[in-house]
Amino acid sequence: MTILLPTKPGLSRAEPEPIRFGGWLTPPHGGEEQWIGRLGSRMQLTCQTPRLKPDPDGRLWVAALATAFLTGELVSMPFLQPWFKVGAPGAIVVEGGGQQGMVLRVGGGTPHYAIRKGQFFSLVSGGRRYLHFARGETVLNADGSAEVPIAPMLRIVPQDGDACEFGTPTIEGKVGGDRMSWTHERARMAGLAFVITETK
């Protein structure tokens, strides 16, 4: 089960951070460095809420975060793209099974919709969401299909017809850290700070 975090009030601050597996291999005795890309790179989001009214805002935020912290359940929330106008991408889906790597074939989108470089989307497969972004601008064909260069590389092999949420991308993952607390102030609750990390 995935816990949906409250959407109101929205976050006052969010810091996306890619988590990289692999890296540059430096020979111990000189020579050319080599890039070693490994499967599993993913996204993390450090979040901060504004000061909250104790009820209902603080109560609902604490209930969601504390439940995830205590039970190990995953949380999900929209991945914001400030000032970015998504437009009308249509119902974009994975087109064809067995895909791997850093290019994703999609279909079902609005004809000639432009997927912009750096635009995020969540791939929904097997009931889980995986956050990705486009590495370059891609304009969908007249039939709403295209091959989209993405990052990070696919961590799973998606099924034909899996949804690609370009309209409202979502990050889904664990609530990080070994401890959790919150502070009550007079008539207010201090803003909550937490981290969401994709687990696969």
Side-chain angles (χ1 to χ4, degrees):
M1 177 180 174
T2 300
I3 299 170
L4 302 178
L5 296 181
T7 56
K8 293 182 180 180
L11 300 178
S12 61
R13 182 180 177 88
E15 296 181 21
E17 178 185 353
I19 299 175
R20 187 180 75 188
F21 289 85
W24 287 98
L25 179 63
T26 303
H29 303 293
E32 183 179 355
E33 295 188 12
Q34 292 181 311
W35 170 256
I36 306 296
R38 300 189 185 280
L39 187 67
S41 294
R42 59 196 74 165
M43 294 297 296
Q44 176 174 285
L45 187 66
T46 299
C47 306
Q48 175 76 48
T49 71
R51 294 180 67 198
L52 303 169
K53 294 180 180 179
D55 193 73
D57 300 333
R59 172 172 52 82
L60 295 176
W61 270 103
V62 167
L65 292 171
T67 298
F69 180 81
L70 293 169
T71 66
E73 294 177 71
L74 301 181
V75 299
S76 69
M77 67 181 305
F79 185 85
L80 301 180
Q81 302 176 91
W83 301 103
F84 179 72
K85 296 182 179 180
V86 175
I92 299 177
V93 298
V94 173
E95 190 171 78
Q99 298 190 53
Q100 301 178 61
M102 298 184 73
V103 176
L104 183 64
R105 294 190 311 276
V106 301
T110 300
H112 309 299
Y113 175 78
I115 297 172
R116 268 70 58 86
K117 182 176 183 179
Q119 182 174 352
F120 279 84
F121 70 97
S122 43
L123 168 63
V124 186
S125 185
R128 289 282 297 273
R129 285 177 168 81
Y130 304 86
L131 193 63
H132 295 272
F133 64 90
R135 292 186 290 120
E137 180 164 317
T138 303
V139 178
L140 302 186
N141 298 323
D143 63 356
S145 67
E147 292 190 347
V148 184
I150 65 168
M153 75 170 73
L154 292 167
R155 285 101 80 190
I156 47 95
V157 179
Q159 301 296 309
D160 181 48
D162 281 348
C164 297
E165 298 174 328
F166 280 87
T168 306
T170 298
I171 185 168
E172 179 177 318
K174 66 180 181 179
V175 174
D178 295 325
R179 62 186 298 271
M180 178 188 172
S181 65
W182 56 94
T183 302
H184 291 288
E185 299 175 348
R186 186 185 297 273
R188 288 282 179 179
M189 178 181 289
L192 300 172
F194 59 95
V195 178
I196 301 174
T197 306
E198 293 187 290
T199 59
K200 68 173 183 176

